Amino acid sequence: MFTLNLLLCFLGLCYGSFVGSYIVRFPRIIDPESDITMSSPRSKCESCGETLKVHMLIPLLSYLVQKGKCSYCRKSIGTFYFINELLHLLLMALMLWAGLFSSLTELLTLFLVVSSLYAQFILDLKHFSLSIYLSVKILVLGLIINYSGFFADIQSAVLGFTAGYLSLFLINKIFYYFRKKEGIGGGDFILLASIGALFGYQMLSVVVLLGSLFSLLIYLFKRSNFDNRVPFGSGLALSALLIIWIKISVV
């Protein structure tokens, strides 16, 4: 069991490294004029542009060994990668320590869901854009974990993703009819649909209410950064993470 847990922590750490790269590269990945993908080009130092060798990309260890500096130009490396990898390691370790999951499938599925919601929170906060790939992943994982009724029964999950998408879609259409401009981004529709698949249609009103409150709080504290735009996707992701924490805590 100890060996398995150690392996899972290592996998969680490696996945955290992947998520960090995805967050950093995301604006260029979705840019139609960019040729950036997750696999190309290879990782480079953001200061000097030198291509990093394999041993410089080992999660956590490479940062510590290099003392937070590039081996080529000796300029400081941003702490985002290190913190992001550490968070994923701690998340996996905490989930294993809690021992609340009846199967490895449940544990890994929820780990991926939490990681994806975290990434969506960061993406909308920094770039006012959400990843369709991550939302669809949350949706599929939500249906998988609810096949055995983890958060909701499968019927409620299916109704949840349908109602989640249609509710924001219709609200946006009504807003557009009166104001002649989009009020809610299409990425928010898909994210709420994925959260609906995770918790079932019964929780959608709670998710939207909490998400709206969180979004407004974020906007009020960071108003100068947002140019009169509210990061609703970040609020939805944060509300989903809070509900997961509450539901897991009361098990």
Side-chain angles (χ1 to χ4, degrees):
M1 181 61 71
F2 175 78
T3 303
L4 177 60
N5 289 348
L6 199 61
L7 176 61
L8 289 172
C9 286
F10 175 72
L11 292 176
L13 180 59
C14 292
Y15 186 76
S17 180
F18 169 81
V19 170
S21 296
Y22 183 77
I23 291 173
V24 171
R25 293 188 179 212
F26 180 74
R28 290 170 289 175
I29 290 175
I30 63 174
D31 184 354
E33 297 182 359
S34 171
D35 59 354
I36 301 293
T37 67
M38 278 302 296
S39 58
S40 177
R42 289 178 56 190
S43 298
K44 298 180 180 181
C45 171
E46 295 177 0
S47 297
C48 64
E50 287 287 341
T51 300
L52 302 180
K53 297 179 180 179
V54 175
H55 71 272
M56 299 175 183
L57 299 172
I58 300 173
L60 290 185
L61 290 179
S62 58
Y63 184 91
L64 294 173
V65 170
Q66 294 173 184
K67 299 180 180 179
K69 296 182 179 180
C70 172
S71 295
Y72 296 112
C73 64
R74 304 308 300 167
K75 290 186 177 180
S76 296
I77 301 171
T79 58
F80 171 74
Y81 285 105
F82 181 83
I83 294 173
N84 175 75
E85 292 161 1
L86 183 60
L87 285 174
H88 279 78
L89 174 61
L90 292 175
L91 173 62
M92 178 61 79
L94 182 62
M95 293 176 71
L96 289 169
W97 174 79
L100 300 174
F101 306 95
S102 59
S103 68
L104 184 60
T105 300
E106 283 185 358
L107 185 146
L108 292 177
T109 300
L110 196 60
F111 173 84
L112 293 174
V113 166
V114 171
S115 174
S116 298
L117 287 169
Y118 153 81
Q120 292 285 53
F121 170 79
I122 299 294
L123 288 175
D124 202 38
L125 195 65
K126 294 181 66 175
H127 309 298
F128 279 102
S129 185
L130 292 166
S131 167
I132 295 176
Y133 159 73
L134 290 177
S135 289
V136 171
K137 183 163 73 170
I138 296 168
L139 193 156
V140 172
L141 292 171
L143 294 177
I144 290 173
I145 202 170
N146 285 324
Y147 188 76
S148 58
F150 190 84
F151 286 126
D153 58 81
I154 190 64
Q155 292 84 359
S156 296
V158 172
L159 287 173
F161 84 74
T162 304
Y165 184 90
L166 290 178
S167 59
L168 290 188
F169 177 81
L170 292 174
I171 290 172
N172 190 57
K173 284 296 182 183
I174 294 171
F175 182 88
Y176 185 84
Y177 178 81
F178 288 104
R179 299 293 300 272
K180 303 305 179 186
K181 64 179 182 179
E182 301 289 340
I184 306 173
D188 295 326
F189 308 163
I190 306 174
L191 179 58
L192 186 60
S194 69
I195 295 173
L198 188 61
F199 300 128
Y201 70 92
Q202 298 94 333
M203 291 296 295
L204 282 175
S205 58
V206 177
V207 170
V208 172
L209 175 60
L210 288 175
S212 300
L213 291 174
F214 284 138
S215 299
L216 288 173
L217 286 173
I218 293 169
Y219 174 77
L220 290 174
F221 281 105
K222 294 286 187 178
R223 184 181 304 181
S224 60
N225 298 342
F226 293 146
D227 192 26
N228 293 324
R229 294 180 294 175
V230 178
F232 187 48
S234 291
L236 289 176
L238 198 57
S239 68
L241 289 170
L242 176 62
I243 292 171
I244 289 174
W245 180 76
I246 292 173
K247 284 181 173 290
I248 293 299
S249 297
V250 299
V251 170

